[in-house]
């Protein structure tokens, strides 16, 4: 056990969540590696939500609340990291979840779906009745006919670049969470939240509550219309550059 | 299986090697996450060997070929990633290998040693007859009496910061491979190759062959004498800055 006063306590606690997810059969071994990659970028970003990440989260929330047919695509890592936050967001907004795995197995899809239902997500699609997206060279090409395939807005946190591109080509609004601001997913998506996933989900839940209380469609459409993802990503590059500068001067 | 047409095929293939290493009991779960952290820095470096990394590899090779008692220290990740390259380098140079683990277990040491021998490494030390290094707060404090403890030049790729410092304090020449140019290992070592491990090992094998054919001690000593690790690290830091700059101007 690591003390809560340890300077990297939160990061180590997240890592433990992932390892427990792996032991439960929810996260894949590849997912552990992907998490490590995210950790490095989070370290470079100072392990906190930047101002531009918070703004992007607000815009992503606006897209989800104004969509005709929104879907949240989850994988082993997102479910291991923030099942309660996903469940809370879905309960508030009524948005369904689709389980979509890069390292696909029916067993793991079923485990994740069961785990999400146990955490309080009522509308879980498993993508077992699926269509293949063109141009995706992985198992993630398979998407649910009623879910991602039919959606106008897809929230695909911790996504693979291939699929983010394929979804964009299909004319969908793609919202993502990716700590790597130079990934293809980051560059291709409509809105990229460059933040750690559990922090982003907590913020997303907060914004959903606030926006529903405000009940202003005008505000949500203004948020969408004034957002520029390329400027948003540039702000993240600048944040990393500043931190590298500080670290290299030590 | 990931298609070879996937744009990040090579990176994903390395990940698969690590996962297979984990399944074989060679790599630890911690090793998987650590690999992911390296991936993030490799991404920032453009996933290719920089000019300064190639130069550092050349210098590391010069140190290994001119040493009185060189040793290569391997762990679960290095052995999972590049066993053939390690074996080829050892065959060419006659340098022995010592298995030295951060998450130490006799079972994993034995598995790694057996695997290396099966891959063609003839001289494998297991560190089971060990001495403890002072000032290292992990199981990696334990080093083999005939190996790292007696060595003048140690090649310790993917090393822990604590131990790199301890080895330097003992007056040894420390050569490392670390994708993170601001890690304690990177900052403490005599020569830091800021490169992905399999790329670095392939280059190291190439240089060993070339230098043995040239047979010029003068050339090797000049390489060592003219190298400055702090300048080398600054070049890596600048490479990351440039890449972020280019991306931010897109």
């Amino acid at each position: 056990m690591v003390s809560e006063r340890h300077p990297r306590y939160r990061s180590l606690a997240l890592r433990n969540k992932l390892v427990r997810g792996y032991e439960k059969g929810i996260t894949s071994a590849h997912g552990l590696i992907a998490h490590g990659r995210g950790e490095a970028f989070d370290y470079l970003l100072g392990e906190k939500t930047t101002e531009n990440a918070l703004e992007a989260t607000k815009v992503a929330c606006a897209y989800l609340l104004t969509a005709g047919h929104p879907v949240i695509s989850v994988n082993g890592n997102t479910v291991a990291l923030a099942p309660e936050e996903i469940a809370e967001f879905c309960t508030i907004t009524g948005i369904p979840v689709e389980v979509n795995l890069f390292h696909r197995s029916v067993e793991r899809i079923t485990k994740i779906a069961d785990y999400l239902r146990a955490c309080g997500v009522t509308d879980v699609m498993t993508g077992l009745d699926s269509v293949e997206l063109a141009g995706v060279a992985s198992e993630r090409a398979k998407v649910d006919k009623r879910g991602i395939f039919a959606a106008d807005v897809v929230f695909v946190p911790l996504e693979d670049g291939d699929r983010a591109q394929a979804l964009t080509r299909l004319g969908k609004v793609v919202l993502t969470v990716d700590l790597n601001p130079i990934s293809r997913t980051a560059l291709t998506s409509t809105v990229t939240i460059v933040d750690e996933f559990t922090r982003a989900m907590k913020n997303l839940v907060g914004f959903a509550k606030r926006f529903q209380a405000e009940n202003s469609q005008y505000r949500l459409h203004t948020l969408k219309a004034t957002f520029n993802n390329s400027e948003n990503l540039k702000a993240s590059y600048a944040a990393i550059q500043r931190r590298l500068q500080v670290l290299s001067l030590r």
Side-chain angles (χ1 to χ4, degrees), chain A:
Chain A
M1 285 304 291
V2 174
S3 157
E4 285 194 32
R5 285 166 306 166
H6 189 288
R8 302 200 58 252
Y9 170 76
R10 288 207 47 214
S11 171
L12 296 170
L14 288 179
R15 206 186 267 188
N16 286 337
K17 276 193 182 181
L18 254 290
V19 173
R20 279 200 301 274
Y22 181 68
E23 287 159 1
K24 278 185 205 144
I26 285 175
T27 311
S28 72
H30 290 81
L32 295 180
I33 297 178
H35 182 74
R37 182 144 63 121
E39 270 187 8
F41 281 105
D42 202 21
Y43 179 73
L44 290 173
L45 286 160
E47 292 177 317
K48 59 182 194 302
T49 301
T50 60
E51 215 174 298
N52 66 291
L54 197 65
E55 190 59 27
T57 310
K58 208 184 274 183
V59 175
C61 192
Y63 269 110
L64 287 166
L65 294 184
T66 55
H69 189 123
V71 173
I72 303 173
S73 173
V74 300
N75 62 18
N77 280 29
T78 54
V79 170
L81 285 169
E84 293 86 2
E85 291 83 355
I86 293 170
E88 192 178 2
F89 187 73
C90 292
T91 303
I92 294 169
T93 60
I95 298 176
V97 161
E98 175 172 338
V99 181
N100 193 281
L101 308 181
F102 189 84
H103 295 278
R104 186 186 179 93
S105 81
V106 173
E107 194 197 343
R108 202 152 69 84
I109 289 175
T110 309
K111 269 190 184 160
I112 292 175
D114 290 346
Y115 184 65
L116 279 171
R117 289 187 191 106
C119 290
V121 182
T122 48
D123 198 353
V124 182
M125 286 174 283
T126 53
L128 297 177
D129 177 20
S130 63
V131 184
E132 293 219 4
L133 295 181
V136 178
S138 84
E139 285 289 331
R140 275 193 127 174
K142 292 180 182 151
V143 295
D144 199 295
K145 273 184 193 164
R146 298 172 305 124
I148 292 172
F149 189 70
D152 56 344
V153 175
V154 283
F155 179 41
V156 283
L158 315 186
E159 181 54 83
D160 170 61
D162 255 23
R163 213 171 57 126
Q165 283 182 316
L167 293 172
T168 306
R169 271 199 304 272
L170 286 175
K172 297 180 193 302
V173 168
V174 177
L175 316 171
T176 196
V177 178
D178 194 333
L179 276 159
N180 176 356
I182 60 175
S183 73
R184 273 188 311 139
T185 302
L187 297 169
T188 312
S189 297
T190 316
V191 180
T192 305
I193 302 168
V194 184
D195 202 1
E196 189 281 310
F197 180 64
T198 65
R199 292 199 304 262
M201 277 310 298
K202 281 189 216 302
N203 290 330
L204 204 57
V205 167
F207 286 130
K209 286 178 181 168
R210 195 207 287 180
F211 291 156
Q212 287 190 335
E214 284 178 12
N215 195 23
S216 161
Q217 290 290 308
Y218 175 75
R219 169 125 156 90
L220 300 180
H221 287 291
T222 308
L223 275 168
K224 291 176 358 186
T226 55
F227 179 77
N228 181 325
N229 201 40
S230 148
E231 290 304 319
N232 166 50
L233 293 174
K234 280 179 193 170
S236 294
Y237 307 148
I240 292 179
Q241 280 187 309
R242 278 196 302 275
R243 182 136 159 95
L244 279 171
Q245 195 76 47
V246 169
L247 289 164
S248 72
L249 293 174
R250 265 184 194 166

